PDB file of all heavy atoms in Angstrom:
ATOM      1  N   VAL T 130     -56.764  -4.516 -23.622  1.00  0.00           N
ATOM      2  CA  VAL T 130     -55.557  -3.728 -23.393  1.00  0.00           C
ATOM      3  C   VAL T 130     -55.938  -2.484 -22.600  1.00  0.00           C
ATOM      4  O   VAL T 130     -56.709  -1.646 -23.057  1.00  0.00           O
ATOM      5  CB  VAL T 130     -54.874  -3.340 -24.729  1.00  0.00           C
ATOM      6  CG1 VAL T 130     -53.663  -2.459 -24.477  1.00  0.00           C
ATOM      7  CG2 VAL T 130     -54.495  -4.591 -25.515  1.00  0.00           C
ATOM      8  N   GLU T 131     -55.391  -2.383 -21.387  1.00  0.00           N
ATOM      9  CA  GLU T 131     -55.653  -1.240 -20.513  1.00  0.00           C
ATOM     10  C   GLU T 131     -54.636  -0.118 -20.750  1.00  0.00           C
ATOM     11  O   GLU T 131     -54.967   1.057 -20.645  1.00  0.00           O
ATOM     12  CB  GLU T 131     -55.621  -1.678 -19.046  1.00  0.00           C
ATOM     13  CG  GLU T 131     -56.583  -2.800 -18.695  1.00  0.00           C
ATOM     14  CD  GLU T 131     -58.045  -2.400 -18.772  1.00  0.00           C
ATOM     15  OE1 GLU T 131     -58.350  -1.190 -18.814  1.00  0.00           O
ATOM     16  OE2 GLU T 131     -58.891  -3.310 -18.798  1.00  0.00           O
ATOM     17  N   SER T 132     -53.388  -0.495 -21.041  1.00  0.00           N
ATOM     18  CA  SER T 132     -52.345   0.472 -21.377  1.00  0.00           C
ATOM     19  C   SER T 132     -51.265  -0.270 -22.152  1.00  0.00           C
ATOM     20  O   SER T 132     -51.203  -1.504 -22.108  1.00  0.00           O
ATOM     21  CB  SER T 132     -51.753   1.122 -20.121  1.00  0.00           C
ATOM     22  OG  SER T 132     -51.057   0.163 -19.352  1.00  0.00           O
ATOM     23  N   MET T 133     -50.441   0.474 -22.879  1.00  0.00           N
ATOM     24  CA  MET T 133     -49.385  -0.172 -23.649  1.00  0.00           C
ATOM     25  C   MET T 133     -48.285   0.820 -23.992  1.00  0.00           C
ATOM     26  O   MET T 133     -48.493   2.033 -23.956  1.00  0.00           O
ATOM     27  CB  MET T 133     -49.939  -0.818 -24.918  1.00  0.00           C
ATOM     28  CG  MET T 133     -50.663   0.084 -25.892  1.00  0.00           C
ATOM     29  SD  MET T 133     -49.661   0.981 -27.105  1.00  0.00           S
ATOM     30  CE  MET T 133     -48.679  -0.272 -27.819  1.00  0.00           C
ATOM     31  N   THR T 134     -47.111   0.273 -24.283  1.00  0.00           N
ATOM     32  CA  THR T 134     -45.992   1.037 -24.828  1.00  0.00           C
ATOM     33  C   THR T 134     -45.367   0.174 -25.908  1.00  0.00           C
ATOM     34  O   THR T 134     -45.483  -1.058 -25.883  1.00  0.00           O
ATOM     35  CB  THR T 134     -44.927   1.373 -23.760  1.00  0.00           C
ATOM     36  OG1 THR T 134     -44.415   0.156 -23.219  1.00  0.00           O
ATOM     37  CG2 THR T 134     -45.494   2.242 -22.656  1.00  0.00           C
ATOM     38  N   ALA T 135     -44.704   0.811 -26.866  1.00  0.00           N
ATOM     39  CA  ALA T 135     -44.050   0.072 -27.944  1.00  0.00           C
ATOM     40  C   ALA T 135     -42.793   0.801 -28.381  1.00  0.00           C
ATOM     41  O   ALA T 135     -42.735   2.034 -28.327  1.00  0.00           O
ATOM     42  CB  ALA T 135     -44.999  -0.096 -29.127  1.00  0.00           C
ATOM     43  N   ASP T 136     -41.799   0.040 -28.791  1.00  0.00           N
ATOM     44  CA  ASP T 136     -40.537   0.588 -29.291  1.00  0.00           C
ATOM     45  C   ASP T 136     -40.233  -0.064 -30.634  1.00  0.00           C
ATOM     46  O   ASP T 136     -39.717  -1.181 -30.681  1.00  0.00           O
ATOM     47  CB  ASP T 136     -39.407   0.319 -28.298  1.00  0.00           C
ATOM     48  CG  ASP T 136     -38.095   0.945 -28.717  1.00  0.00           C
ATOM     49  OD1 ASP T 136     -37.974   1.403 -29.884  1.00  0.00           O
ATOM     50  OD2 ASP T 136     -37.169   0.972 -27.893  1.00  0.00           O
ATOM     51  N   PRO T 137     -40.570   0.612 -31.752  1.00  0.00           N
ATOM     52  CA  PRO T 137     -40.375   0.008 -33.075  1.00  0.00           C
ATOM     53  C   PRO T 137     -38.907  -0.236 -33.435  1.00  0.00           C
ATOM     54  O   PRO T 137     -38.622  -0.950 -34.389  1.00  0.00           O
ATOM     55  CB  PRO T 137     -41.027   1.007 -34.028  1.00  0.00           C
ATOM     56  CG  PRO T 137     -41.100   2.276 -33.280  1.00  0.00           C
ATOM     57  CD  PRO T 137     -41.163   1.939 -31.824  1.00  0.00           C
ATOM     58  N   ASP T 138     -37.981   0.325 -32.657  1.00  0.00           N
ATOM     59  CA  ASP T 138     -36.562   0.079 -32.920  1.00  0.00           C
ATOM     60  C   ASP T 138     -36.099  -1.279 -32.386  1.00  0.00           C
ATOM     61  O   ASP T 138     -35.021  -1.753 -32.741  1.00  0.00           O
ATOM     62  CB  ASP T 138     -35.699   1.188 -32.314  1.00  0.00           C
ATOM     63  CG  ASP T 138     -35.912   2.510 -33.022  1.00  0.00           C
ATOM     64  OD1 ASP T 138     -36.185   2.496 -34.250  1.00  0.00           O
ATOM     65  OD2 ASP T 138     -35.830   3.555 -32.356  1.00  0.00           O
ATOM     66  N   ARG T 139     -36.896  -1.890 -31.537  1.00  0.00           N
ATOM     67  CA  ARG T 139     -36.540  -3.212 -30.999  1.00  0.00           C
ATOM     68  C   ARG T 139     -37.147  -4.288 -31.896  1.00  0.00           C
ATOM     69  O   ARG T 139     -38.339  -4.260 -32.175  1.00  0.00           O
ATOM     70  CB  ARG T 139     -37.045  -3.358 -29.568  1.00  0.00           C
ATOM     71  CG  ARG T 139     -36.378  -2.379 -28.626  1.00  0.00           C
ATOM     72  CD  ARG T 139     -36.725  -2.707 -27.187  1.00  0.00           C
ATOM     73  NE  ARG T 139     -36.107  -1.792 -26.279  1.00  0.00           N
ATOM     74  CZ  ARG T 139     -34.896  -1.939 -25.758  1.00  0.00           C
ATOM     75  NH1 ARG T 139     -34.169  -2.983 -26.066  1.00  0.00           N
ATOM     76  NH2 ARG T 139     -34.413  -1.045 -24.922  1.00  0.00           N
ATOM     77  N   LYS T 140     -36.324  -5.215 -32.331  1.00  0.00           N
ATOM     78  CA  LYS T 140     -36.763  -6.272 -33.242  1.00  0.00           C
ATOM     79  C   LYS T 140     -37.344  -7.446 -32.453  1.00  0.00           C
ATOM     80  O   LYS T 140     -36.698  -7.970 -31.548  1.00  0.00           O
ATOM     81  CB  LYS T 140     -35.596  -6.766 -34.097  1.00  0.00           C
ATOM     82  CG  LYS T 140     -34.943  -5.678 -34.928  1.00  0.00           C
ATOM     83  CD  LYS T 140     -35.915  -5.165 -35.959  1.00  0.00           C
ATOM     84  CE  LYS T 140     -35.235  -4.115 -36.817  1.00  0.00           C
ATOM     85  NZ  LYS T 140     -36.100  -3.054 -37.196  1.00  0.00           N
ATOM     86  N   PRO T 141     -38.560  -7.895 -32.811  1.00  0.00           N
ATOM     87  CA  PRO T 141     -39.184  -8.992 -32.066  1.00  0.00           C
ATOM     88  C   PRO T 141     -38.504 -10.332 -32.338  1.00  0.00           C
ATOM     89  O   PRO T 141     -37.955 -10.570 -33.414  1.00  0.00           O
ATOM     90  CB  PRO T 141     -40.617  -8.999 -32.598  1.00  0.00           C
ATOM     91  CG  PRO T 141     -40.513  -8.429 -33.966  1.00  0.00           C
ATOM     92  CD  PRO T 141     -39.399  -7.406 -33.895  1.00  0.00           C
ATOM     93  N   LEU T 142     -38.563 -11.186 -31.348  1.00  0.00           N
ATOM     94  CA  LEU T 142     -38.106 -12.564 -31.458  1.00  0.00           C
ATOM     95  C   LEU T 142     -39.186 -13.356 -32.182  1.00  0.00           C
ATOM     96  O   LEU T 142     -40.378 -13.161 -31.931  1.00  0.00           O
ATOM     97  CB  LEU T 142     -37.895 -13.134 -30.050  1.00  0.00           C
ATOM     98  CG  LEU T 142     -37.435 -14.583 -29.938  1.00  0.00           C
ATOM     99  CD1 LEU T 142     -36.024 -14.742 -30.515  1.00  0.00           C
ATOM    100  CD2 LEU T 142     -37.467 -15.011 -28.472  1.00  0.00           C
ATOM    101  N   LEU T 143     -38.774 -14.236 -33.093  1.00  0.00           N
ATOM    102  CA  LEU T 143     -39.733 -15.080 -33.808  1.00  0.00           C
ATOM    103  C   LEU T 143     -39.560 -16.540 -33.423  1.00  0.00           C
ATOM    104  O   LEU T 143     -38.447 -16.983 -33.120  1.00  0.00           O
ATOM    105  CB  LEU T 143     -39.533 -14.955 -35.325  1.00  0.00           C
ATOM    106  CG  LEU T 143     -39.777 -13.593 -35.947  1.00  0.00           C
ATOM    107  CD1 LEU T 143     -39.534 -13.657 -37.449  1.00  0.00           C
ATOM    108  CD2 LEU T 143     -41.166 -13.086 -35.646  1.00  0.00           C
ATOM    109  N   TRP T 144     -40.661 -17.280 -33.464  1.00  0.00           N
ATOM    110  CA  TRP T 144     -40.658 -18.731 -33.323  1.00  0.00           C
ATOM    111  C   TRP T 144     -41.039 -19.277 -34.693  1.00  0.00           C
ATOM    112  O   TRP T 144     -42.120 -19.022 -35.209  1.00  0.00           O
ATOM    113  CB  TRP T 144     -41.677 -19.155 -32.262  1.00  0.00           C
ATOM    114  CG  TRP T 144     -41.762 -20.629 -32.059  1.00  0.00           C
ATOM    115  CD1 TRP T 144     -42.817 -21.443 -32.378  1.00  0.00           C
ATOM    116  CD2 TRP T 144     -40.779 -21.476 -31.468  1.00  0.00           C
ATOM    117  NE1 TRP T 144     -42.533 -22.726 -32.025  1.00  0.00           N
ATOM    118  CE2 TRP T 144     -41.293 -22.789 -31.461  1.00  0.00           C
ATOM    119  CE3 TRP T 144     -39.500 -21.253 -30.947  1.00  0.00           C
ATOM    120  CZ2 TRP T 144     -40.579 -23.871 -30.956  1.00  0.00           C
ATOM    121  CZ3 TRP T 144     -38.800 -22.330 -30.430  1.00  0.00           C
ATOM    122  CH2 TRP T 144     -39.333 -23.625 -30.441  1.00  0.00           C
ATOM    123  N   HIS T 145     -40.091 -19.980 -35.324  1.00  0.00           N
ATOM    124  CA  HIS T 145     -40.316 -20.502 -36.665  1.00  0.00           C
ATOM    125  C   HIS T 145     -39.581 -21.823 -36.818  1.00  0.00           C
ATOM    126  O   HIS T 145     -38.401 -21.918 -36.470  1.00  0.00           O
ATOM    127  CB  HIS T 145     -39.821 -19.490 -37.712  1.00  0.00           C
ATOM    128  CG  HIS T 145     -39.915 -20.001 -39.112  1.00  0.00           C
ATOM    129  ND1 HIS T 145     -38.803 -20.361 -39.823  1.00  0.00           N
ATOM    130  CD2 HIS T 145     -40.980 -20.224 -39.915  1.00  0.00           C
ATOM    131  CE1 HIS T 145     -39.178 -20.787 -41.018  1.00  0.00           C
ATOM    132  NE2 HIS T 145     -40.497 -20.707 -41.098  1.00  0.00           N
ATOM    133  N   ASP T 146     -40.274 -22.826 -37.325  1.00  0.00           N
ATOM    134  CA  ASP T 146     -39.696 -24.145 -37.562  1.00  0.00           C
ATOM    135  C   ASP T 146     -39.052 -24.711 -36.293  1.00  0.00           C
ATOM    136  O   ASP T 146     -37.952 -25.249 -36.319  1.00  0.00           O
ATOM    137  CB  ASP T 146     -38.695 -24.080 -38.722  1.00  0.00           C
ATOM    138  CG  ASP T 146     -38.412 -25.440 -39.333  1.00  0.00           C
ATOM    139  OD1 ASP T 146     -39.178 -26.391 -39.068  1.00  0.00           O
ATOM    140  OD2 ASP T 146     -37.410 -25.561 -40.069  1.00  0.00           O
ATOM    141  N   SER T 147     -39.749 -24.521 -35.171  1.00  0.00           N
ATOM    142  CA  SER T 147     -39.341 -25.019 -33.844  1.00  0.00           C
ATOM    143  C   SER T 147     -38.027 -24.439 -33.350  1.00  0.00           C
ATOM    144  O   SER T 147     -37.320 -25.057 -32.559  1.00  0.00           O
ATOM    145  CB  SER T 147     -39.269 -26.554 -33.839  1.00  0.00           C
ATOM    146  OG  SER T 147     -40.551 -27.091 -34.069  1.00  0.00           O
TER     147      SER T 147
END
Side-chain angles (χ1 to χ4, degrees):
V130 177
E131 304 292 345
S132 66
M133 58 85 51
T134 60
D136 184 348
D138 292 328
R139 296 190 180 272
K140 302 295 182 216
L142 179 66
L143 297 180
W144 179 248
H145 175 252
D146 200 15
S147 296

